[in-house]
Each structure stands twice: as C-alpha cells, then as structure tokens.
Amino acid sequence: MLLTSKNALVINSMNIEKEIINKVFGKKASLFLDFLEGRIDTLEITVSKLFDLSKKIDVPFSYFFLDSLPEIKPPIADFRGNAKPFSKALRDSIDSSFNKQSWFREYLIKNGCDKTIKNTTTIENAKDTSDIEDTIKELIDFDNNKTIKDFIDCLQAKNFIVQVTGVSRNNSHKVISVEECRGYAIYDEYAPLIFINTKDSDKAKIFTLLHELAHILLKQSGVSSYEFSQDIEYKCNNIAGNILMPSKSFKQAWQKTRNLYENVSLLERNFSLASRQAIATKAMLNNLISYESYRGFINKEKFKTSNKTSGGNSIFSYRAANSKNFVQCVISDTLNDKETYKNALNLLNVKSISTLLGLYK
C-alpha cells in the first residue's frame, strides 16, 4: 500500500508517540518518521502494519485515509499553547478521571462529608493573587523542607483526588507525554481532581501541583503546560512561582551579569523546591529574560525529562495513578458490599481481583 503526503498530514495530526512508532515499525521506524516529517513524499507500507498502528493508538483504520480527523470536542478546556488536539490516551485519561470524581463525590456526600472547596468567591474575583497563594500554602501545609509526596498526602487527607501517572488507565501502551500534558485539573466542590504527569522531575511536579491547585481555586477545569498564550495560564504560573520563589527574594538573587543558564544553576540552590523550568518561568514573568530565551531553555529541559519511563505497573504505581485515598474508599466499599467488584475494577483500571486486593494492603 502506498501512502502519500496527504496521509502523512492526517497521521501527523494524531500526535502518535515515537515510542509507539518504534514498537510497531521496529527497524523501519526511522523511515516512517522521515515520511511523517516530510523528508520523503511517499511510503510503501503493508496493510498489516497499518492495522497494527491503528490498534496501538486505538484509532479506526479508515482515519488514516481521511482529509482531516473528525473534530472531537475536548472534555475539558485546553489551556496549552500548541493548539494540537488531545491524543486518544489523554482523552481516555480525562474520561477515567471524571468517572473517579463522580464516584468519589457521591461517596463523600453519602458519608456526610463537608465540601472540600468552599468560600472562594472573594478569591476568584480578586485582582491580587496573594489570597490564592495563602490558601494553597494552607491546603498543602507548605514548607520548603517538604517533598511532593508530603504535599500530595496533605491534599488527599482533605479529599482531593491526586493522580500521578504518565499513562492512561494503567495501560503502558497509552502514554501521555510531558510535551502534551504536564497536568490537568477538574474542579468539583466536593472532590477536586488533579492529574500530574509522572515523567517530570519531582521539582517540576511540585510546580504543576501548585499550578493546578490555582486552577481549582479559580473553579476552572483544563489541561495545562508551561505556556503564556492564555491569561489564565499566565496567572496560574505566576501563583505557583510566587509560592516557590517570592518575587522580592528572586529579583535580589538574580544576577544581571550572568546568562540564563548560570542564573538557573545559582538559583536552584536558593530555592530548593523550584525546578530549573520553574526558575526560568519566574524569570520570564519578571521580565528578566526574553520570551525567545525562555522558549529555547524550556524546549531543552522538556527534552531531558520526556524520556523517563512511567515506572511500570507495580502496586505503588497503581495507587499513585488512582490516588491513594480514592483507592482505599473504593476497596473499602467493595469489601463491605456497598460496591460491586466489577465496578471497582473499572474505577481503578485493574484487571484482576488479586491486584485489587493488593492495592488495599
């Protein structure tokens, strides 16, 4: 079968991970990438290989021959700046998160729990972000000596669902790259949900957590990245940066005679919880570097982190992917005959009862 540049355009719009292309095409993966990137105009390919690819990315085979992909409305707002549609893996992950949130909301109401997010009207309308920053610090009991795990544990104790994973529905074939999604937030007054991509460094995860918490307090749901194309992303980046690196201290520590890379290395020691990307973002927000310098730095740092693995399908990974508090509640209800095993398996995206029970131990 002969594919042309027309096919390449529509396949490119599917945002297929290179890891998947390598698995499907093996030694010929580089040839397929050359075709997608326009270095060759046509490509001879077997129907079976194309079928394999369609199964891997869960896209109908016929889509490879359309002029353009059918428009699919995103399940939540897209705050990213790249304008690319959500991949199937990301959409599936968001759908799964909605299912978890809906179940957990009902569970909390049924058990007489108070709203997790309340009295935020003043915060929403405030021009100054200091109230939001203070509320976030209180929610996570912020301290520079704490870890991402400490902050997540604190939120989960307050009935936040916090998912940390780099794949959709515990499926290692459905990878969600850092380039596509660093995190997302789904607002709910009872069961607010935050997703953090595990492929980032721990420091980068902390910035994402703070960024998504800002979205939650602003009662917004959406997918985020380190972008400034929308005012809301600028605002949430600023809030996260102010918590990790107070502006006055940051400006005092910045040395104008040094370049961006030298300053980042220097400030890493001053602000122990801030990632290199967070420091560059803060510098951009404070007009200490140009946007062009910032983008060049971020692109290099993204490349460094995007090759990390998701950590496999261990019990620990399953708990992190589903949110530990959510896991405990689902399994507790199941063991007490308040939930079916079938629905529990579906909610936690596991295939066997033995794995389900293993999560509870």
Side-chain angles (χ1 to χ4, degrees), residues 1-142:
M1 174 179 290
L2 186 68
L3 298 182
T4 67
S5 56
K6 175 184 172 182
N7 303 114
L9 283 173
V10 74
I11 294 172
N12 258 323
S13 68
M14 297 176 184
N15 299 323
I16 305 171
E17 295 293 327
K18 287 185 179 180
E19 182 182 346
I20 293 175
I21 291 173
N22 288 333
K23 286 181 179 179
V24 172
F25 295 99
K27 294 179 180 179
K28 294 186 177 181
S30 60
L31 186 63
F32 188 77
L33 288 170
D34 284 343
F35 170 66
L36 292 184
E37 293 166 11
R39 286 188 284 271
I40 55 176
D41 294 329
T42 61
L43 179 69
E44 190 70 40
I45 189 173
T46 63
V47 173
S48 62
K49 280 295 180 186
L50 213 50
F51 266 117
D52 288 344
L53 182 60
S54 72
K55 289 178 182 178
K56 284 287 186 185
I57 62 175
D58 198 17
V59 166
F61 179 81
S62 60
Y63 278 22
F64 294 135
F65 306 97
L66 297 175
D67 291 331
S68 60
L69 292 178
E71 186 174 350
I72 301 174
K73 186 178 180 180
I76 54 177
D78 187 357
F79 297 136
R80 307 167 306 160
N82 59 23
K84 291 183 178 179
F86 295 168
S87 67
K88 183 67 164 58
L90 180 55
R91 291 199 308 274
D92 283 350
S93 179
I94 294 169
D95 287 344
S96 178
S97 293
F98 270 115
N99 289 338
K100 297 181 201 302
Q101 186 182 68
S102 177
W103 187 95
F104 199 44
R105 174 188 170 86
E106 185 177 332
Y107 172 90
L108 294 172
I109 293 173
K110 182 175 62 179
N111 285 279
C113 297
D114 291 333
K115 293 177 181 178
T116 301
I117 305 295
K118 46 192 173 184
N119 302 325
T120 61
T121 304
T122 304
I123 289 178
E124 283 179 88
N125 299 323
K127 293 181 180 179
D128 189 343
T129 61
S130 59
D131 285 346
I132 297 178
E133 292 159 22
D134 290 341
T135 302
I136 290 174
K137 289 178 183 178
E138 184 180 344
L139 280 170
I140 63 175
D141 193 17
F142 183 78

Side-chain angles (χ1 to χ4, degrees), residues 305-331:
T305 59
S306 64
N307 291 325
K308 291 188 177 183
T309 61
S310 59
N313 287 335
S314 66
I315 291 297
F316 175 82
S317 295
Y318 278 134
R319 287 198 190 110
N322 284 289
S323 193
K324 183 173 63 177
N325 56 329
F326 176 74
V327 169
Q328 296 296 318
C329 292
V330 169
I331 298 178

Side-chain angles (χ1 to χ4, degrees), residues 226-273:
Y226 289 175
E227 294 290 346
F228 298 91
S229 56
Q230 296 190 39
D231 289 344
I232 185 57
E233 284 300 270
Y234 185 98
K235 186 174 187 176
C236 292
N237 280 337
N238 201 31
I239 290 167
N242 286 342
I243 293 171
L244 293 173
M245 301 160 284
S247 293
K248 185 177 180 181
S249 301
F250 187 89
K251 289 177 181 178
Q252 288 175 345
W254 188 270
Q255 297 186 17
K256 292 182 179 179
T257 57
R258 294 176 180 265
N259 64 34
L260 171 57
Y261 290 87
E262 290 171 336
N263 267 299
V264 168
S265 296
L266 177 68
L267 268 64
E268 276 186 298
R269 297 191 289 271
N270 294 48
F271 304 104
S272 58
L273 293 183

